[in-house]
């Protein structure tokens, strides 16, 4: 049940105010999954574990269904604050942040950026705004100890298939890879500055674009 902002705590009202943002993602009906974009990783088991901890069952691993889960966690946080259950509210907040940082933003933002439609751009901007609210992946100084050698936040650095985000961009069939990677690098460099709450992802994608570019540029 929606909370009346006149008698809810500021934390409850802040959590519930997220619902409209999640609804923008839900309304897109996006069925694309992390496995479609990252290709070499299937998040199904991890997502099922996260959902089970809230007695929830994800219909699919699609973007819109993940947004429904995110919205449910935001509502759970708001309701818990309203009923003075701070431990439940804190858990819902943390689980939502981890959902965005581990299973959502790193792949959905690049995929939406490649779609080009107004609806996709609006969804991307909404996700980036949510990322700023929760800051699941800031760019910390130095990489040592954050990832295994030869890896970044996306995994092994030597994977660059064009049909996934591993090369730094989701490159559509028929596009010029070098031109597309150059444009994507410019985008990620901008996002690093514009969205510090998720800058780790965009910094790593920019580096992947930079290292992949020579593989596709004509010699000379």
């Amino acid at each position: 049940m929606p909370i009346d902002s006149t008698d809810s705590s500021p934390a409850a009202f802040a959590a519930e105010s997220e619902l409209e943002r999640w609804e923008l993602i839900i309304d897109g009906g996006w069925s694309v999954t992390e496995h479609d974009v990252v290709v070499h990783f299937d998040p199904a088991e991890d997502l099922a574990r996260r959902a089970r901890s809230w007695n929830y069952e994800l219909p699919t691993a699609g973007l819109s269904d993940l947004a429904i889960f995110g919205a449910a966690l935001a509502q759970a946080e708001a309701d818990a604050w309203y009923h003075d259950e701070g431990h439940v509210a804190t858990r819902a907040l943390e689980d939502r942040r981890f959902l965005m940082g581990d299973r959502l933003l790193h792949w959905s933002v690049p995929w939406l950026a490649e779609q080009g439609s107004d609806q996709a751009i609006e969804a991307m901007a909404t996700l980036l705004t949510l990322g700023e609210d929760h800051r699941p992946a800031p760019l910390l100084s130095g990489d040592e100890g954050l990832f295994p050698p030869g890896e970044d936040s996306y995994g092994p650095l030597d994977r660059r298939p064009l049909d996934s985000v591993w090369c730094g961009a989701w490159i559509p069939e028929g596009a010029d890879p070098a031109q597309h990677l150059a444009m994507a690098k410019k985008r990620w460099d901008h996002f690093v500055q514009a969205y510090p709450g998720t800058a780790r992802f965009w910094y790593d994608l920019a580096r992947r674009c930079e290292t992949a570019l020579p593989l596709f540029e004509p010699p000379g």
Side-chain angles (χ1 to χ4, degrees), residues 114 161-162 164-171 180-181 184 187-188 205 209:
E114 299 293 350
L162 297 183
S164 80
V165 78
W166 287 94
C167 66
W170 177 272
I171 301 179
H180 208 82
L181 285 168
R187 177 201 303 138
W188 305 137
L205 288 182
C209 287

Side-chain angles (χ1 to χ4, degrees), residues 62-73:
L63 175 55
S64 286
D65 282 334
L66 293 186
I68 293 173
F69 186 31
L73 290 174

